[in-house]
Short mmCIF file of all heavy atoms in Angstrom, two decimals:
data_model
loop_
_atom_site.label_atom_id
_atom_site.label_comp_id
_atom_site.label_asym_id
_atom_site.label_seq_id
_atom_site.Cartn_x
_atom_site.Cartn_y
_atom_site.Cartn_z
N VAL A 84 29.56 -12.14 2.01
CA VAL A 84 30.85 -12.70 1.59
C VAL A 84 31.46 -13.39 2.97
O VAL A 84 32.25 -14.37 2.77
CB VAL A 84 31.78 -11.63 1.11
CG1 VAL A 84 33.18 -12.22 0.92
CG2 VAL A 84 31.26 -11.17 -0.28
N GLU A 98 11.87 -17.93 28.37
CA GLU A 98 11.88 -16.72 29.25
C GLU A 98 13.24 -16.02 29.15
O GLU A 98 13.34 -14.73 29.40
CB GLU A 98 11.64 -16.99 30.73
CG GLU A 98 10.20 -17.55 30.95
CD GLU A 98 10.02 -18.91 30.51
OE1 GLU A 98 10.97 -19.68 30.39
OE2 GLU A 98 8.85 -19.38 30.36
N TRP A 119 20.62 -7.44 22.18
CA TRP A 119 21.17 -6.70 21.07
C TRP A 119 20.18 -6.64 19.94
O TRP A 119 20.09 -5.61 19.20
CB TRP A 119 22.51 -7.37 20.56
CG TRP A 119 23.24 -6.70 19.44
CD1 TRP A 119 24.07 -5.61 19.62
CD2 TRP A 119 23.26 -6.94 18.14
NE1 TRP A 119 24.62 -5.28 18.45
CE2 TRP A 119 24.07 -6.04 17.39
CE3 TRP A 119 22.51 -7.88 17.35
CZ2 TRP A 119 24.28 -6.04 16.05
CZ3 TRP A 119 22.79 -7.91 15.88
CH2 TRP A 119 23.59 -7.00 15.32
N LEU A 205 20.54 13.00 33.16
CA LEU A 205 19.27 13.69 32.72
C LEU A 205 18.70 14.52 33.80
O LEU A 205 18.27 15.73 33.52
CB LEU A 205 18.24 12.57 32.29
CG LEU A 205 16.90 13.23 31.82
CD1 LEU A 205 17.09 14.09 30.58
CD2 LEU A 205 15.94 12.11 31.54
N ARG A 232 -3.08 22.38 7.52
CA ARG A 232 -2.67 23.32 6.51
C ARG A 232 -2.47 22.51 5.23
O ARG A 232 -2.22 21.27 5.10
CB ARG A 232 -1.44 24.09 6.98
CG ARG A 232 -0.32 23.86 6.17
CD ARG A 232 0.92 24.85 6.61
NE ARG A 232 1.34 25.55 5.47
CZ ARG A 232 1.08 26.81 5.14
NH1 ARG A 232 0.33 27.55 5.96
NH2 ARG A 232 1.52 27.34 4.02
N PRO A 363 16.78 4.05 22.98
CA PRO A 363 17.71 3.25 22.18
C PRO A 363 17.61 3.68 20.68
O PRO A 363 16.63 4.08 20.21
CB PRO A 363 17.13 1.85 22.32
CG PRO A 363 16.37 1.84 23.57
CD PRO A 363 15.83 3.25 23.58
N GLY A 431 -29.76 -1.34 -6.32
CA GLY A 431 -29.31 -2.51 -7.08
C GLY A 431 -29.13 -3.74 -6.19
O GLY A 431 -29.76 -4.11 -5.28
N GLY A 453 -21.48 15.55 4.29
CA GLY A 453 -21.60 14.83 3.14
C GLY A 453 -21.69 13.40 3.26
O GLY A 453 -21.88 12.95 4.43
N ASP A 472 -27.68 -0.47 12.69
CA ASP A 472 -29.04 -0.79 13.07
C ASP A 472 -29.23 -0.80 14.50
O ASP A 472 -30.39 -0.41 15.03
CB ASP A 472 -29.43 -2.21 12.49
CG ASP A 472 -29.70 -2.16 11.06
OD1 ASP A 472 -29.72 -1.13 10.45
OD2 ASP A 472 -29.72 -3.31 10.43
N LYS A 525 -10.42 6.73 18.23
CA LYS A 525 -10.74 8.21 18.30
C LYS A 525 -12.22 8.42 18.72
O LYS A 525 -13.04 7.49 18.40
CB LYS A 525 -10.52 8.90 16.93
CG LYS A 525 -9.08 8.82 16.48
CD LYS A 525 -8.72 9.84 15.49
CE LYS A 525 -7.24 9.99 15.36
NZ LYS A 525 -6.68 11.06 14.44
N GLN A 526 -12.53 9.53 19.25
CA GLN A 526 -13.82 9.81 19.81
C GLN A 526 -14.48 10.76 18.79
O GLN A 526 -13.96 11.53 18.16
CB GLN A 526 -13.80 10.45 21.17
CG GLN A 526 -13.20 9.53 22.24
CD GLN A 526 -14.10 8.45 22.66
OE1 GLN A 526 -15.31 8.54 22.32
NE2 GLN A 526 -13.74 7.56 23.46
N PRO A 558 13.03 8.47 -17.09
CA PRO A 558 14.07 7.69 -16.51
C PRO A 558 14.53 6.50 -17.33
O PRO A 558 13.80 6.00 -18.27
CB PRO A 558 13.39 7.07 -15.23
CG PRO A 558 11.96 7.10 -15.54
CD PRO A 558 11.73 8.29 -16.51
N GLU A 565 15.33 -5.22 -10.38
CA GLU A 565 15.62 -6.69 -10.31
C GLU A 565 14.54 -7.50 -9.68
O GLU A 565 14.56 -8.73 -9.63
CB GLU A 565 16.90 -6.93 -9.43
CG GLU A 565 18.14 -6.25 -10.01
CD GLU A 565 18.49 -6.78 -11.41
OE1 GLU A 565 18.18 -7.95 -11.77
OE2 GLU A 565 18.91 -6.00 -12.37
N LEU A 594 -3.20 5.37 -26.82
CA LEU A 594 -3.33 5.88 -25.44
C LEU A 594 -3.73 7.42 -25.34
O LEU A 594 -4.55 7.82 -24.51
CB LEU A 594 -2.11 5.62 -24.58
CG LEU A 594 -1.54 4.26 -24.48
CD1 LEU A 594 -0.37 4.34 -23.44
CD2 LEU A 594 -2.54 3.38 -23.99
N THR A 714 -4.47 -10.06 -30.87
CA THR A 714 -4.71 -11.05 -29.75
C THR A 714 -5.21 -10.39 -28.54
O THR A 714 -4.83 -9.15 -28.27
CB THR A 714 -3.41 -11.81 -29.43
OG1 THR A 714 -2.49 -10.87 -28.88
CG2 THR A 714 -2.81 -12.41 -30.72
N VAL A 745 -25.33 -12.43 -37.36
CA VAL A 745 -25.04 -13.00 -38.74
C VAL A 745 -24.04 -14.19 -38.56
O VAL A 745 -24.31 -15.24 -39.12
CB VAL A 745 -24.53 -11.99 -39.63
CG1 VAL A 745 -23.96 -12.56 -40.95
CG2 VAL A 745 -25.49 -10.89 -39.92
N ARG A 799 -1.65 -9.21 -38.74
CA ARG A 799 -2.17 -9.15 -40.08
C ARG A 799 -3.18 -10.27 -40.28
O ARG A 799 -3.12 -11.22 -39.73
CB ARG A 799 -1.08 -9.35 -41.10
CG ARG A 799 0.14 -8.40 -40.95
CD ARG A 799 1.19 -8.65 -42.13
NE ARG A 799 2.31 -7.80 -42.08
CZ ARG A 799 3.35 -8.22 -41.43
NH1 ARG A 799 3.44 -9.38 -40.78
NH2 ARG A 799 4.48 -7.37 -41.47
N VAL A 803 -3.96 -14.81 -39.26
CA VAL A 803 -5.04 -15.54 -38.57
C VAL A 803 -5.46 -16.75 -39.28
O VAL A 803 -6.30 -16.55 -40.16
CB VAL A 803 -6.26 -14.56 -38.35
CG1 VAL A 803 -7.29 -15.28 -37.45
CG2 VAL A 803 -5.74 -13.26 -37.58
N VAL A 817 7.74 -9.59 -29.03
CA VAL A 817 7.05 -8.53 -29.69
C VAL A 817 8.09 -7.38 -30.21
O VAL A 817 7.88 -6.92 -31.36
CB VAL A 817 5.86 -7.96 -28.87
CG1 VAL A 817 5.31 -6.60 -29.41
CG2 VAL A 817 4.73 -9.05 -28.82
#
Side-chain angles (χ1 to χ4, degrees):
V84 173
E98 294 75 19
W119 185 81
L205 178 62
R232 116 172 233 105
D472 284 345
K525 298 202 173 183
Q526 297 285 351
E565 300 301 323
L594 302 184
T714 67
V745 170
R799 302 182 184 95
V803 183
V817 167

